[in-house]
Each structure stands twice: as structure tokens, then as C-alpha cells.
Amino acid sequence: MDTSMEKDAITEQYLGIEEKIRKYNPGANFERLRDAYTFAREAHKEQKRKDGSPYITHPLAAAEIIADMELDEDSVIACLLHDTVEDTPVTHEDIAKRFGREVADLVEGVTKLTRVVYTSKEEEQVENLRKMLLAMAKDIRVIIIKIADRLHNMRTMNYQSAEKQREKALETMEIYAPIAHRLGMQRVKWELEDLSLIYLDPLGYTEITSQLDSRKEKLEQFMETISETITERMKSVGVKCRVFSRLKHIYSIYRKMYSQNKEFSEVLDLCAFRIIVDTVSDCYNALGQIHDLYSPMPGRFKDYISTPKPNMYQSLHTTVVGVEGIPFEVQIRTWEMHRTAEYGVAAHWKYKQGITESGDEEKFAWIRSLLETQQETDAADFLHGLKVDMFADEVFVFTPQGKVINLPTGATPIDFAYSIHTEVGNHMTGAKVNGRIATFDYILQNGDIVEIMTSPSANGPSRDWMKIAKSSQAKGKIKQWFKREKREENIVHGKASFDAEMKRNNLSLNDMPDGETLLACLKKMSFSNIDDMYAAIGYGGLTSVRAVNRFREEIVRAVKQRRQEEAAQEAAQGIQSRAPKKPNSVKGVVVGDLDNCLIKFARCCTPVPGDKIVGFITKGFGVSVHRAECQNYLNSGVHGDEDDRWINVSWGDIGAETYNTALTIQARNRDNFVLDVATVLSAAKVKLTGLNARELEAGRAVAFVSMDVHSRAELQAAINRLSVIPGVSEVRRPGV
Ligand code: MN
């Protein structure tokens, strides 16, 4: 051996590992292994374990577990170095330079797993955490090293605080033992469970061990008798085998007692036997002999040779009843199956000389082919569990509260935000990953702790986000936001399309009898206001033809009714014509060659001097004056028989009289909007006769103004002033 190495107890421990490796991998580079040992020892030289021993004894012990599993050289080296990056100034680069990238990556993998903080969670979260660890590992050897690390820590847990003991035991029981089981590492799983039980239920553990101790002699006697009987029988029939007997592991007895509510004395099958033979046909041979020697318990025979378990486990299982009526389990398997049963996936990682493996796909091909032949119900679960590792289509990250969030590989903080809540996504202003500001397109890594910064005044998603987001969930929500936000645009387009269709049909919404009827029509189409309907038309959810048809009947009926009312009114005015109550009944309007004609300004379009106007001879007396652009005039074609009742009228001399007219003002809803309208009109010296406003959806508001003006020019000036009020989008006269 290298004389430069100090010969002490620790080096002895290391040399023991070398010996183990030499047995299964004599071609290993022992200089490199020794270098790793010296490097790790140097790095940890200032550190002590809780029990006072030099820290290096821990990585050494873990590496010994790895060597026992006959893993490759890189795994042993990585295990020796597994705590250097976390606990010493050594960096990933240092390791990569000295031992190669593969070792450095393995160490980094283990370090990352070490940083995952475990707190007890609900079952679903625990399962996600297991998957996360598998996914983070990327290389399955990382998980195996981590398990070896945990196994040694659990073996030496007695110096830790009671709190730490419980915490680690719970994590081991919930995370690492199931992972070991999933990877087929039965022996490791048992040990992890038993070690955890010591801290999780010390009394339960002690009860079982003391009961087992008190029966030790009897049980040993029993196991010996059975073993001898089996061995002799096998010899007599020429099956070469070795028979092992063992007490069942403590946690399995514990579980049986608790799940079946049994006393210890009621748990009969405390012993298990294992017959290891050379060939598969010997397995079935041996089984026949066992069933000949003892009575098999019905329903307890399982053939995991023809149908292996998803974790690759193969064996024949049977439970038989022995001489004193005590049942016991017998497992029969070949030596190769035995190795797989003990070490699972790790067994397939043992050094294979001359075989170079290229790429993960090939490495895991055997797992996949194995999985494809699985019929067990939990095969799907296992496949899923391994999938995150082998096929890497998921990424697992934490919220700052420690909740595990599962996203597709390639997911970004945007996906994360939307998976938390739509509003979190829509109000996202930035993201922190592991405490540092991250860009929106940062690709989330397993184990990242992601924090989303939001602001109530955030502008919402940008269009780029759709490209950055990976999950269809986030993409859908962003799309939805744009659909909703583009509402304004949709309303404009929808209204134009609707108005054109109305015009084509010579209809006008102004002829709706009242707001309530309008609302009722909208309700029939499941809209709560007209803008919703416009938006739906604009978005393509409703055709304008359908929408128009919904209003047609009401409008036609209303128009008829109003004509009748107008006629009645005109008639009444005709009777009182000799005592006109208002001088403006003929206000400056010249009707063809008729004199002293009764004049009435149509309320649908409220003409003012300067407007192009037309007159309509009512059925009673008098002429109703409309603006030439009034929809009622333009649409009058529908009532063909009335065409000849429209006559030309014009403005005559205009006095100082004022004319009542109206405006509709659309604006962004904000404080003081109505006040500003009133102020502007008052400054324009317009006499307001009515002003009311209401809120619309999507932060919009509308104001209805009625006022007295002298002329169209005056009205236009008011419109111009109103149009420049902040937030105002439209100022419109009615009737057009
Ligand atoms: Mn460690």
C-alpha cells in the first residue's frame, strides 16, 4: 500500500472498502479511489460527527454500503465525496477537475437531495416528494448513494437530539424506505424501516424486540429444525441449495400487530425461510418438495418468477404449516434473483467489465422492457415513479411554504404562477428562484424554491408569455386573459357589425320602447348588458343576424305603438291649436309651402338648428321633425306605404330660442367623471336639463345628458369639449 498513507483506524476502514471492491471489480483504478479517500479526509479534517468521531468515518461507512452493493468505481468515489460540497469549501469544479465530470455530477446530485427540506405532509405531497427526489437524482446512482448516506445516518442516529431523531425517522419511513422498496432494495428497506421505528414508536419497537428476545431460544430451535429438514430433503432429491432462516423484520411484525389489531403472541409467522438454488427449474423442484413436506396454506402461493414484481423482484413464495401448527413463509429463488432482491436496481449497477453504456436511454432499457411485461396493479405506479427519472417529463418545485408543485419539464416561473392561481399569474411582476431574481423564461429545475412577486396594479400577461409558458394550463389562462382584455376591441367590432345588420333591416335600437324591454331581449340571449352582446358578436360567439332577429319583433311593435301615440297627441294638440301653450311649436321650421303647421321635434333624434332635417306628416295634425340622419327616417323604407308622408322641411329664421337635445358619453369609469361633464358643459354655457350616469362592465361608464342649445354649432362645440375629457371614448347624439 501507499506508504504516504497514515496507517490508522480510519485508513483501515478505507482499506476494508478497497478489499470489497477488489473482489467484485479487480480492474478498478485503486489509485483514483485512494485519491478520493485522501481528498475527502482532508476536506473534512476539521469536522467531527455528533458522537465525536472524525467526520470522514461517515462517508467511509456510506461508501462501504455502496461497495457492498457492488456498485461501480464512480459511485464509490462519489459516495466518499458526497458531503464535501455541502459541508466544506470544495466545489463542483474542484471535483470535476480531479475526478471527472461524472463523479462531480453525482456529488452535486446528492448535495441537491440533501438540501431538500422535508416536513411532514399529506400522502399526495409525500408521493410527489418521492417523485421529486427520483426526478432530481437524474442518475439513479445518486439516489442509491443518498440511500446509503441515509442508512448510515440512521444507524448512528442515537447521538442526535430527540427532535432530529424523530424528524429524520419520519422522513426515512415516508420517503427513503418507499424509494428503496420501489428500487427493489429489500434489505435496505427493512433496515431503514426498523431503524425509523426505534424513534417513531420506541415503546412498540422495544415490545417486539423484547418479545423476540424472550422467545429467542424457542424460535432458533424451530428455525434450526425446519432448516435441517429442508436441507436433508433437498439433498435426498439432488437439488443443490442453501437454506437460510431469519426472523421477520421488526417493522413487518409491528405493522401486522397494528393493522390486524393483534397481540404479539397472536402473530404466528415470525420466521421466514429462504432456499437459494442454482437454476429456475430447481426453484420449482424445491417448491414441490416443500409442499410435500408441509401443508401449504391455500391462497398463499405466489409465483414471482414467471411474473416478476414491478421492482424486478423474482421468487416463489409459499406459506406452509409446520409440525406444531406454526405457519412460516418460504421463499425460493436463484442466486441471481437473490442479489436483485437484496439490492434491486443497484444490483444492475454493479461493475460490468468491458461493457460501456452509452446514454441513459440504453441504461434504462432493461427497466423499460421489464416494465412492459408487468401485470401487477402497482406496475403503473412504479412506471410512473421511475418515469420521472428515466423519461424526465416532469419537474418538481417548491412553493416558499414547502408545497411541492408538479409541472411539465421545461416549465417556467409563468407556469408556476398560473398553477398557483390564475390571479397570481395575471398579476405577476417578477419571480425569485431559490431567493434570487429569475427571468420569466428561466427553466425550472427539480427542487427549486419558487416565489412569485405580484402587484395588484400589474398590467397582466404580455403576449410573449404564451410562447414562454410550457403547460397548456398556463397557456390557456393567458389566452383567456387576452380574450377578456380585448373586450373593448370586440365591443367596437361587434357593435359595427350589429349596427350594419340593423340598418340592412331598417331597424334601430332607438325604437326599443324602453330600457327594460331591451334588457329583457338581452337576457333571452343570456347577456346582462348590450356591451356583452357586442363583445360576443365581436368575438364571433354570436352572429349579428341572430342578434338582430332577437330585437326585430319588439322594435316593430314599439314603432307601431308610438305612431299611434303620436297620432293621438297630434290630434289633441290640433284641438288646442288656437291657444298654443308654447311658442316653439313652430320654432323656426319651414314646412314646404304649408303655413302655421304644427311642429314637433322628434324625441328619437332631437334635431337642433343646423341639422339637416326632414318632416313626417303624422296621422293627427302636424309634422314631426327628424334629423335626416335619423334611423327612423332611414329605416322608413320598411313601411313602404308611408313613404309619401315624409316631406322636406328646413330651418327658417332662428331666434334666441333654445332646443332640447341629448348626448350619450362613453368613458372609462373614474372618479369625478360626471362632475367633469357638468363642468365642461357649464363652461361651454350650455344649459343642462338632465344628467345621469351609470357604470358599465369592465371599468366603463356611460353618461346621458340632456340640454338646451341654440344651434348645431353650439352643440358641436360642446361635443368637442366633452370629447377631450380624460377617459372619454365616445360622445354620440341619439338616433343615429
Ligand atoms: Mn452524508
Side-chain angles (χ1 to χ4, degrees):
M1 79 155 264
D2 195 331
T3 46
S4 69
M5 279 211 312
E6 200 186 328
K7 190 130 187 181
D8 56 10
I10 293 168
T11 302
E12 288 299 330
Q13 192 186 353
Y14 166 72
L15 291 173
I17 298 170
E18 263 195 15
E19 277 321 297
K20 287 189 173 171
I21 298 169
R22 222 177 285 279
K23 277 188 193 132
Y24 69 87
N25 183 12
N29 183 342
F30 289 95
E31 250 172 62
R32 190 161 167 257
L33 279 158
R34 210 168 288 187
D35 188 30
Y37 159 63
T38 349
F39 183 84
R41 188 168 180 176
E42 179 63 22
H44 289 299
K45 70 174 179 213
E46 306 292 345
Q47 294 169 285
K48 292 251 186 293
R49 301 204 81 212
K50 275 263 155 57
D51 64 1
S53 59
Y55 193 86
I56 186 65
T57 56
H58 163 63
L60 276 170
E64 191 165 347
I65 294 171
I66 293 296
D68 281 333
M69 295 180 189
E70 300 185 6
L71 288 199
D72 66 334
E73 185 185 312
D74 277 352
S75 300
V76 179
I77 291 175
C79 190
L80 284 169
L81 304 174
H82 82 267
D83 276 329
T84 55
V85 173
E86 183 69 5
D87 297 339
T88 78
V90 171
T91 66
H92 180 267
E93 268 316 296
D94 296 340
I95 295 176
K97 263 186 217 146
R98 194 145 165 179
F99 301 102
R101 184 143 300 275
E102 193 154 339
V103 168
D105 287 349
L106 288 173
V107 172
E108 187 181 67
V110 178
T111 305
K112 273 189 184 163
L113 294 194
T114 304
R115 285 178 187 155
V116 170
V117 181
Y118 170 84
T119 48
S120 188
K121 295 168 198 302
E122 313 107 66
E123 188 45 40
E124 189 204 348
Q125 283 283 296
V126 170
E127 178 54 21
N128 267 339
L129 208 61
R130 285 180 211 133
K131 286 187 195 167
M132 175 198 257
L133 293 178
L134 282 170
M136 278 175 79
K138 285 192 187 108
D139 188 323
I140 205 100
R141 290 175 294 176
V142 166
I143 271 287
I144 298 171
I145 294 167
K146 182 64 202 171
I147 287 174
D149 168 48
R150 176 51 57 96
L151 183 56
H152 182 248
N153 281 334
M154 287 305 293
R155 282 177 184 169
T156 53
M157 195 51 77
N158 39 336
Y159 290 96
Q160 297 287 351
S161 68
E163 195 190 339
K164 188 101 174 177
Q165 286 172 343
R166 260 196 75 80
E167 187 187 300
K168 290 289 166 192
L170 194 61
E171 184 182 38
T172 302
M173 191 66 103
E174 292 198 331
I175 306 289
Y176 288 101
I179 287 176
H181 173 70
R182 190 169 275 182
L183 299 180
M185 306 161 82
Q186 211 50 41
R187 213 179 74 172
V188 173
K189 178 210 169 198
W190 287 346
E191 192 179 347
L192 288 173
E193 285 177 344
D194 285 356
L195 289 167
S196 301
L197 188 62
I198 296 174
Y199 305 106
L200 292 176
D201 186 354
L203 291 180
Y205 181 86
T206 315
E207 192 200 334
I208 294 168
T209 47
S210 61
Q211 291 273 17
L212 284 174
D213 277 354
S214 71
R215 278 156 224 238
K216 206 175 168 199
E217 260 173 58
K218 215 182 143 204
L219 287 166
E220 276 174 357
Q221 185 59 47
F222 176 77
M223 290 195 285
E224 209 180 304
T225 312
I226 302 283
S227 294
E228 275 171 17
T229 313
I230 295 174
T231 312
E232 270 168 41
R233 171 60 77 95
M234 294 303 160
K235 209 179 234 171
S236 72
V237 297
V239 173
K240 211 178 132 202
C241 74
R242 279 194 68 183
V243 178
F244 298 89
S245 60
R246 62 173 175 91
L247 288 175
K248 292 220 161 154
H249 82 289
I250 291 154
Y251 183 64
S252 77
I253 298 169
Y254 179 87
R255 230 182 15 213
K256 196 165 266 178
M257 286 169 65
Y258 282 82
S259 68
Q260 299 174 7
N261 204 17
K262 281 180 174 174
E263 291 295 315
F264 180 86
S265 58
E266 294 174 281
V267 179
L268 296 175
D269 51 339
L270 296 170
C271 306
F273 296 85
R274 186 171 293 148
I275 304 168
I276 305 183
V277 295
D278 289 339
T279 66
V280 173
S281 66
D282 278 351
C283 290
Y284 292 98
N285 249 331
L287 178 76
Q289 296 304 323
I290 296 297
H291 284 178
D292 188 48
L293 273 173
Y294 307 102
S295 331
M297 280 175 69
R300 296 291 291 271
F301 169 66
K302 300 239 168 58
D303 183 352
Y304 294 121
I305 290 179
S306 62
T307 312
K309 282 193 183 186
N311 59 17
M312 304 179 299
Y313 178 84
Q314 282 187 298
S315 272
L316 299 177
H317 284 193
T318 187
T319 303
V320 294
V321 182
V323 275
E324 286 160 56
I326 298 171
F328 58 90
E329 192 189 66
V330 181
Q331 300 174 350
I332 305 164
R333 59 174 80 138
T334 65
W335 286 102
E336 201 191 328
M337 293 172 192
H338 179 59
R339 230 202 118 63
T340 302
E342 297 283 283
Y343 293 122
V345 168
H348 290 256
W349 230 268
K350 66 180 175 177
Y351 184 80
K352 292 185 205 109
Q353 209 161 9
I355 300 173
T356 48
E357 285 153 319
S358 61
D360 282 1
E361 285 301 293
E362 233 170 278
K363 273 184 188 170
F364 296 116
W366 59 269
I367 293 185
R368 226 183 301 170
S369 66
L370 183 85
L371 292 167
E372 278 157 11
T373 58
Q374 293 313 304
Q375 278 142 35
E376 286 232 346
T377 43
D378 55 341
D381 284 352
F382 179 66
L383 175 66
H384 194 66
L386 276 180
K387 213 175 164 185
V388 296
D389 185 17
M390 310 307 158
F391 315 123
D393 56 357
E394 286 173 281
V395 61
F396 299 86
V397 297
F398 286 112
T399 66
Q401 292 75 36
K403 192 175 178 230
V404 181
I405 302 287
N406 180 353
L407 294 166
T409 299
T412 62
I414 294 172
D415 295 286
F416 179 90
Y418 279 101
S419 81
I420 299 296
H421 196 279
T422 308
E423 289 309 306
V424 173
N426 286 341
H427 293 96
M428 175 177 179
T429 54
K432 277 185 186 172
V433 174
N434 303 324
R436 284 192 192 157
I437 300 283
T439 56
F440 283 13
D441 60 354
Y442 168 82
I443 305 291
L444 296 176
Q445 304 296 315
N446 278 304
D448 278 348
I449 300 167
V450 189
E451 191 184 339
I452 299 300
M453 290 168 284
T454 59
S455 155
S457 60
N459 290 328
S462 88
R463 281 178 194 279
D464 303 340
W465 290 19
M466 213 110 72
K467 285 176 223 142
I468 297 170
K470 179 83 184 173
S471 66
S472 48
Q473 187 201 23
K475 283 180 193 217
K477 286 176 173 178
I478 296 165
K479 216 177 275 174
Q480 211 178 3
W481 187 87
F482 276 109
K483 184 162 128 189
R484 206 181 58 229
E485 286 308 299
K486 267 167 70 185
R487 188 180 145 84
E488 292 301 294
E489 222 172 283
N490 290 333
I491 290 174
V492 171
H493 290 143
K495 184 177 184 313
S497 161
F498 177 83
D499 287 349
E501 184 61 25
M502 286 292 270
K503 202 164 191 167
R504 228 170 54 75
N505 286 277
N506 291 315
L507 297 170
S508 167
L509 277 189
N510 294 307
D511 288 329
M512 285 301 278
D514 49 45
E516 273 164 44
T517 318
L518 178 75
L519 213 58
C521 283
L522 290 167
K523 282 246 166 70
K524 276 185 204 161
M525 291 182 277
S526 310
F527 297 116
S528 52
N529 60 54
I530 192 116
D531 280 354
D532 283 357
M533 187 193 75
Y534 290 149
I537 295 170
Y539 183 69
L542 172 73
T543 66
S544 50
V545 173
R546 274 182 85 88
V548 166
N549 283 339
R550 287 285 187 171
F551 293 105
R552 187 190 305 274
E553 198 184 321
E554 288 296 342
I555 292 176
V556 169
R557 194 201 345 251
V559 167
K560 261 185 199 156
Q561 199 178 341
R562 196 171 62 206
R563 290 229 164 78
Q564 283 163 6
E565 277 167 15
E566 275 176 2
Q569 207 177 357
E570 298 295 332
Q573 277 180 355
I575 291 164
Q576 295 168 2
S577 61
R578 259 168 296 179
K581 55 178 176 10
K582 276 193 164 191
N584 65 350
S585 59
V586 282
K587 295 202 312 184
V589 176
V590 181
V591 182
D593 48 2
L594 298 178
D595 268 331
N596 295 324
C597 198
L598 286 175
I599 292 295
K600 178 183 173 292
F601 292 106
R603 54 182 176 172
C604 57
C605 54
T606 60
V608 296
D611 285 327
K612 277 189 90 175
I613 48 176
V614 289
F616 183 74
I617 304 169
T618 66
K619 285 223 168 113
F621 295 91
V623 170
S624 173
V625 176
H626 292 257
R627 283 156 60 198
E629 52 196 332
C630 174
Q631 290 291 333
N632 283 331
Y633 170 62
L634 295 173
N635 291 345
S636 59
V638 268
H639 320 289
D641 58 325
E642 287 167 359
D643 262 355
D644 55 354
R645 294 173 64 191
W646 288 100
I647 52 165
N648 288 326
V649 296
S650 57
W651 298 101
D653 290 331
I654 307 299
E657 276 149 338
T658 57
Y659 297 76
N660 195 259
T661 188
L663 288 175
T664 306
I665 304 157
Q666 290 254 16
R668 169 165 53 79
N669 192 14
R670 59 171 178 84
D671 291 342
N672 296 332
F673 163 51
V674 173
L675 185 68
D676 286 355
V677 167
T679 310
V680 161
L681 290 175
S682 133
K685 302 220 159 43
V686 168
K687 189 188 163 211
L688 262 179
T689 58
L691 171 58
N692 65 74
R694 64 181 169 89
E695 253 176 62
L696 300 174
E697 279 199 354
R700 315 284 309 163
V702 62
F704 304 97
V705 184
S706 59
M707 56 200 172
D708 290 333
V709 296
H710 294 92
S711 66
R712 182 185 169 98
E714 196 177 288
L715 178 63
Q716 191 56 51
I719 289 173
N720 293 346
R721 285 177 173 230
L722 288 167
S723 300
V724 296
I725 294 178
V728 166
S729 54
E730 186 187 50
V731 182
R732 193 155 49 92
R733 296 182 66 187
V736 295

